[in-house]
């Protein structure tokens, strides 16, 4: 197993709103290792974006940190004021540990990490770029503000970065404004800015949702290429399961502020255990879905209002496999394998045996069959 | 099948957007010569990347835009047309007969020819000047000097052309004085042409007038147009936040002349029930609903006028996965219950395949492939269709790891030339592809089709 770079433990975040306290993230825990892609999947409002914003320290002003830690493992943290302060107050036995809780450090410290160690790209590339500033300047700005290089070197490095991102005619493009770029090209610029300072963690918040399929494919290929070249750790947030299958090494499925299932990508796609994961997987047709299969599997209703989180399992209301206990008590994380966990009472030894929906079952069987044959191509 | 009246026939539809004037003039061919037919009760999918013209096609059909050219026929009746081609026919006919009439008057013809030559010379000189200027860089220090030089050349050639013209006119005058016999006018022939000209023009103008009246948004056309309704992509921006749901849904009824309050309310409630909402929702505002419910309101607004053709413009792209399935199933049920015909515009091919009977793939304003849904996915022919299919990520990690993406290069993927131009060819029953004869042969070989 590679080195751990980020460890989120029991993270809970709420927001003060006019209607009361909204519980956005509830006791979320996961690890991120060097060089892997972790995909966080869920509907809007499931807390996936809030989790990632907490990691990069850009939560809105009305947020409340209810508990939990985000430990960032890197030798770089030794440079932080907070770290020195902590070391001073500790006895020598704990000396030398190289992580720090990102939820506890002040903004001045976070400023040193953000961009240079943890970076983020957003869904809409137009709103993350300054419309009245040349893109070249926006990239080189990131370089000379953080790295302390002079402007000439920054420009040279920015041109290099643009080339690395697959942008052609960089000299000309350097002096253009964001509106002169297409959606895919803009997203390349945003990625260039995010990676200008060799960040170790890249958080991608639905980076391709606003793009066309062909452009999406190009951007995903670019992220995969850079990830391999730089041994990046990527947190990839999306609701498109096709994209997850393409990108992820591990997957966490979020619902109503909680992780309901996580595991390796194959485990989630071929042996899903949680009814919510089943629903997500069967809600969308794939290219082999026949019209004769008629109805799509539908998750009835809408996600719960997190101002008033339900008593038991938050998914119980929409779950056709819900049992009485689901309305009473929240299920714990049941272990399926060393890498695969799911939070559903269906995994309790006393629960009745329930199969996943037949449509999904046959689809998975079909996919596995094809994988065995080794053709792997759904498109033919 | 062919006897049956098609619900919608679109013939050679063109939609050009013009902007700027003079040098800055820009014509965007958003939809360029698109033809298709939709049968009754059918779901017709229109796919392509953003900017390929699929949304514009939908909006032109429902007359949110005035078509540049082509015809739109709904249930056998013309509801929309563009005038570009009839206008062109009229001006061509004028030119043709004017030339014939001119030919009967030798002196005038000669004068006309001399003048035309002069105009052409001047235009060429101006064109050369423009071309030379565009090659110069304004920041270059020599710009002033160079451009003055080119201007001199232009002025000189115009002067030369003028001298040539005057000389020719002079020669003509002399020739006319010496041999007047050469220049006798044939008046009877001229009259004959004039009569022909008037007849032809009257006929064309009558057709133009007819098209215009068909195109006008009133009378019969108006009644028919009510049977075409549209649902939009974004359920937030397509609902007026200051109107209650009842007002939003009832607006169409009021506009189409229904005044009885009770009747309107009844129809609104009925529409709400059809889309799975309850009458109590009628007095709330759009912001009180979730995304999926808002899309249902949008659908109710379209259904309240009892449409026969529904244009669904990316109705699920802005929704969450679990809600997408709800909306697709709802549309599927409604289609069955109300016998709707649907034009389904989307970029998500998996959904389009699941929902549509036939699919057209658009690329840069043109339909490049049109086929039954299953055929299109079994035998994708056009390289653009193939590249589009190969780009869709599927929820299957094994095949994803192996997936190879093709890229489409519109210049090098085809060997088109002046003589070899692509056209829509039916390559197998119900499968059309935009290709040249040679390409069709290759495609057939590839799939071993007869």
């Amino acid at each position: 197993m590679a080195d751990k770079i980020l460890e989120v433990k029991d993270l809970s975040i709420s927001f003060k709103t006019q209607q009361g306290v909204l519980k956005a993230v509830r006791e979320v825990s996961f690890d991120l290792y060097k060089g892997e892609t972790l995909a966080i999947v869920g509907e809007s409002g499931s807390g996936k974006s809030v989790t990632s914003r907490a990691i990069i320290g850009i939560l809105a002003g009305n947020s409340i940190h209810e508990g939990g830690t985000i430990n960032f493992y890197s030798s770089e943290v030794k440079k932080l004021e907070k770290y020195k302060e902590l070391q001073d107050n500790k006895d020598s036995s704990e000396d030398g540990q190289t992580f720090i809780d990102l939820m506890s450090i002040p903004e001045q410290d976070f400023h040193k990490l953000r961009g240079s160690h943890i970076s983020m790209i957003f869904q809409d590339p137009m709103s993350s770029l300054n419309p009245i500033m040349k893109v070249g300047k926006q990239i080189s700005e990131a370089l000379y503000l953080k790295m302390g290089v002079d402007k000439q070197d920054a420009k040279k490095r920015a041109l290099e970065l643009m080339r690395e991102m697959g942008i052609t005619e960089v000299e000309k493009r350097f002096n253009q404004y964001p509106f002169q770029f297409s959606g895919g090209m803009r997203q390349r610029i945003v990625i260039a800015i995010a990676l200008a300072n060799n960040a170790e963690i890249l958080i991608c918040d639905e980076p391709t949702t606003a793009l066309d399929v062909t452009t999406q494919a190009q951007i995903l290929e670019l992220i995969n290429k850079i990830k391999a070249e730089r041994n990046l750790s990527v947190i990839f947030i999306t609701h498109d399961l096709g994209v997850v299958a393409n990108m992820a090494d591990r997957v966490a499925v979020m619902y109503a502020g909680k992780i309901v299932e996580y595991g390796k990508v194959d485990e989630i796609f071929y042996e899903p255990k949680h009814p919510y994961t089943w629903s997500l997987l069967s809600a969308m047709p794939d290219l082999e879905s026949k019209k004769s299969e008629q109805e799509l599997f539908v998750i009835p209703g809408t996600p719960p209002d997190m101002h008033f989180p339900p008593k038991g399992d938050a998914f119980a209301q929409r779950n056709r496999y819900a049992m009485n206990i689901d309305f009473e008590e929240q299920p714990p994380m049941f272990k399926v394998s060393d890498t695969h966990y799911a939070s559903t009472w269906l995994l309790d030894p006393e629960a009745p045996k329930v199969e996943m929906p037949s449509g999904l079952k046959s689809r998975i069987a079909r996919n596995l069959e094809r994988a065995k044959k080794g053709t792997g191509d759904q498109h033919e | 099948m062919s006897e049956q009246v098609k619900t919608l026939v679109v013939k050679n539809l063109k939609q050009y957007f013009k902007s700027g004037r003079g040098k800055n003039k820009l014509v965007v061919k958003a939809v360029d010569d698109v033809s298709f037919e939709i049968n009754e009760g059918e779901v017709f999918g229109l796919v392509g990347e953003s900017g390929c013209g699929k949304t514009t096609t939908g909006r032109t059909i429902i007359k949110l835009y005035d078509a540049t050219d082509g015809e739109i026929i709904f249930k056998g009746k013309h509801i929309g047309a563009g005038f570009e081609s009839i206008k062109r026919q009229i001006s061509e006919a004028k030119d043709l007969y004017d030339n014939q009439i001119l030919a009967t008057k030798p002196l005038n013809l000669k004068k006309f020819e001399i003048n035309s030559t002069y105009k052409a010379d001047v235009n060429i000189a101006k064109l050369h000047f423009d071309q030379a200027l565009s090659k110069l860089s304004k920041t270059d220090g020599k710009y002033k000097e160079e451009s003055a030089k080119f201007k001199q050349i232009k002025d000189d050639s115009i002067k030369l052309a003028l001298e040539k013209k005057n000389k020719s006119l002079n020669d003509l005058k002399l020739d006319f004085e010496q041999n007047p016999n050469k220049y006798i006018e044939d008046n009877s022939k001229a009259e004959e042409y004039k009569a022909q000209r008037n007849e032809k023009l009257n006929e064309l103008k009558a057709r133009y007038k007819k098209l215009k009246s068909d195109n006008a948004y009133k009378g019969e056309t108006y009644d028919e147009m009510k049977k075409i309704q549209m649902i939009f992509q974004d359920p937030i921006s397509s609902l007026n936040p200051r109107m209650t749901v009842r007002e939003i849904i009832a607006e169409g009824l009021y506009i189409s002349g229904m005044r009885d309050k009770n009747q309107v309310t009844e129809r609104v409630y009925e529409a709400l029930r059809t889309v799975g909402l309850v009458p109590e929702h009628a007095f709330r505002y759009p912001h009180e609903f979730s995304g999926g419910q808002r899309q249902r309101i949008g659908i109710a607004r379209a259904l309240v006028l009892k449409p026969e053709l529904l244009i669904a413009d990316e109705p699920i792209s802005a929704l969450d996965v679990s809600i997408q399935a709800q909306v697709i199933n709802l549309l599927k049920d409604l289609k069955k219950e109300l016998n709707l015909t649907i034009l389904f515009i989307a970029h998500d091919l998996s959904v389009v395949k699941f929902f549509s009977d036939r699919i057209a793939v658009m690329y840069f304003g043109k339909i490049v492939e049109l086929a039954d849904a299953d055929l299109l996915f079994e035998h994708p022919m056009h390289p653009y269709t193939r590249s589009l299919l190969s780009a869709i990520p599927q929820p299957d990690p094994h095949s994803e790891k192996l997936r190879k993406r093709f890229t489409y290069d519109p210049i090098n993927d085809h060997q088109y030339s002046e003589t070899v131009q692509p056209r829509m060819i039916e390559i197998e029953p119900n499968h059309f592809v935009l290709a040249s004869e040679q390409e069709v042969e290759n495609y057939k070989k590839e799939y071993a089709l007869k």
Side-chain angles (χ1 to χ4, degrees), chain A residues 57 119 135 152 155 181 183 216 243 272 294 315 326:
Chain A
S119 260
V135 296
Q152 241 82 49
K155 181 174 179 181
F181 287 71
Q216 163 174 294
V243 173
Q294 291 303 327
F315 187 56
D326 278 310

Side-chain angles (χ1 to χ4, degrees), chain A residues 43-44 212 214 216-217 221 239 246 270 284 286-287 291 294 296 298-299 301 367 370 376 378-379, chain B residues 49-50 320-322 324-326 329 332-333 353-355 357 377 389 393-394 396 398-400 403 405:
Chain A
E43 290 175 73
S44 36
D212 274 318
T214 38
Q216 163 174 294
E221 279 164 19
H239 63 253
N246 182 296
Y270 300 132
M284 289 318 287
D286 67 2
L287 285 180
K291 285 193 68 151
Q294 291 303 327
L296 283 175
V298 162
I299 314 177
N367 289 344
R370 197 178 26 241
Q378 264 206 20
H379 301 285
Chain B
E49 285 175 72
S50 47
D320 259 323
V321 190
S322 71
Q324 288 188 356
Q326 288 178 11
N329 278 355
K332 247 184 154 173
D333 293 343
K353 185 194 176 206
F354 181 76
F355 192 45
D357 300 305
F377 283 81
L389 288 185
Q394 289 295 305
D396 176 14
H398 283 317
S399 73
E400 271 308 297
R403 178 160 61 90
R405 192 164 63 84

